[in-house]
Amino acid sequence: MRNYLSIILLFCCSLTVSAQKPRIYFFNDFVQSRITYKNHQRFIVMLNFDAANGEMLYKEGDTMMSLTNPEAVDTISVGDRKYVYHDRKYCEVFQRENGTVLLGWKLKQVHKGQTGAFGLPTQAHVQKLSTVDLSGMGLGANPNAGMGYIKYDNYDAPTLDVWKQKNDNTYYFIKGGKEYKVRTLKNVYKAFPQYKDKIQSFVKENNLDMIHADNAVQIIDYIFSL
């Protein structure tokens, strides 16, 4: 009981949350996680990350709450995944051989219409969707979560809503004592004009992009080596 009350105080308030955008849960379900605060307090809670709205969500019974006061958080551990709050974003920490990459996940959905005759997309009224499913690697999350098409079944309805799930991630890393923040290849080339030709050749030879997280981290690994 004491721990529960402490959690409520640290979270500032208990409330049912509503998002400005449809939620995209990073994990298939709420996962047992450890929150470590900068004052060294630790709590075990059931968490999920809303990658559309950038919120860490906490669930107590049937009540869902948003983790507030994120500046007070040191780290959030979900299995072997580690998150920190940086630049007003929850970022996953990737320890690489030559440096650390912080990945600020941002997933969004683009509605492509509905499947009609012969399975072709048609533009129609958006119907009720089933729960978002990001099943993939690790704890039910998809680290690539890139440009794949996802069909959400409207139960027994004759049509399916078709959405395109897209990354809009931000990557942070330090090279030469300076922190860099990049989202696109254009950002990368602008940040490292002296290496632009080498990076372009590396990207082309390995068929890489900044859309998929694993590709983006490979590009940053290469930058670390320059």
Side-chain angles (χ1 to χ4, degrees):
M1 182 66 178
R2 182 181 299 174
N3 285 342
Y4 178 72
L5 291 175
S6 298
I7 291 174
I8 294 301
L9 290 174
L10 284 171
F11 282 29
C12 295
C13 58
S14 298
L15 70 159
T16 301
V17 290
S18 59
Q20 293 181 348
K21 302 176 183 177
R23 295 195 184 284
I24 301 180
Y25 291 110
F26 195 79
F27 301 108
N28 286 335
D29 202 350
F30 282 73
V31 183
Q32 182 171 291
S33 309
R34 184 177 71 248
I35 302 176
T36 302
Y37 285 87
K38 292 178 181 177
N39 64 3
H40 305 297
Q41 287 186 285
R42 295 182 178 182
F43 300 95
I44 303 298
V45 297
M46 300 301 291
L47 278 183
N48 208 330
F49 179 55
D50 175 4
N53 296 280
E55 287 186 294
M56 283 289 179
L57 301 175
Y58 160 78
K59 197 170 185 181
E60 178 66 26
D62 294 328
T63 303
M64 189 162 60
M65 296 159 281
S66 178
L67 179 60
T68 60
N69 196 23
E71 293 82 4
V73 174
D74 180 65
T75 57
I76 297 174
S77 300
V78 186
D80 58 357
R81 294 175 181 266
K82 179 180 176 182
Y83 297 83
V84 298
Y85 192 74
H86 181 76
D87 192 30
R88 296 183 293 180
K89 293 182 178 67
Y90 289 105
C91 299
E92 186 168 359
V93 180
F94 288 88
Q95 298 291 350
R96 312 299 294 175
E97 183 177 353
N98 296 313
T100 301
V101 180
L102 300 184
L103 196 171
W105 288 100
K106 181 72 172 180
L107 302 180
K108 56 186 179 181
Q109 302 172 45
V110 181
H111 190 237
K112 305 299 291 186
Q114 294 182 318
T115 55
F118 310 109
L120 298 176
T122 62
Q123 293 301 320
H125 177 67
V126 179
Q127 301 182 40
K128 181 180 178 181
L129 305 179
S130 59
T131 305
V132 174
D133 182 5
L134 291 181
S135 60
M137 295 178 59
L139 295 168
N142 185 351
N144 295 328
M147 300 292 286
Y149 283 93
I150 300 176
K151 294 182 179 180
Y152 298 95
D153 193 354
N154 186 30
Y155 306 108
D156 296 325
T159 59
L160 294 175
D161 282 304
V162 180
W163 294 78
K164 187 177 183 182
Q165 184 176 290
K166 185 178 180 182
N167 269 344
D168 190 19
N169 299 331
T170 304
Y171 302 86
Y172 302 88
F173 59 96
I174 295 175
K175 181 175 175 61
K178 178 181 177 181
E179 182 179 273
Y180 292 90
K181 172 182 177 180
V182 297
R183 290 177 46 249
T184 65
L185 282 172
K186 183 178 180 179
N187 295 156
V188 171
Y189 300 146
K190 184 176 180 179
F192 299 97
Q194 70 276 35
Y195 302 133
K196 181 177 179 180
D197 291 343
K198 290 184 177 180
I199 298 172
Q200 282 182 323
S201 296
F202 178 78
V203 167
K204 183 176 181 180
E205 289 171 5
N206 293 277
N207 194 29
L208 300 176
D209 55 49
M210 294 293 288
I211 297 171
H212 297 83
D214 56 347
N215 287 350
V217 172
Q218 285 186 62
I219 294 171
I220 295 172
D221 278 341
Y222 179 70
I223 294 172
F224 280 146
S225 71
L226 296 175

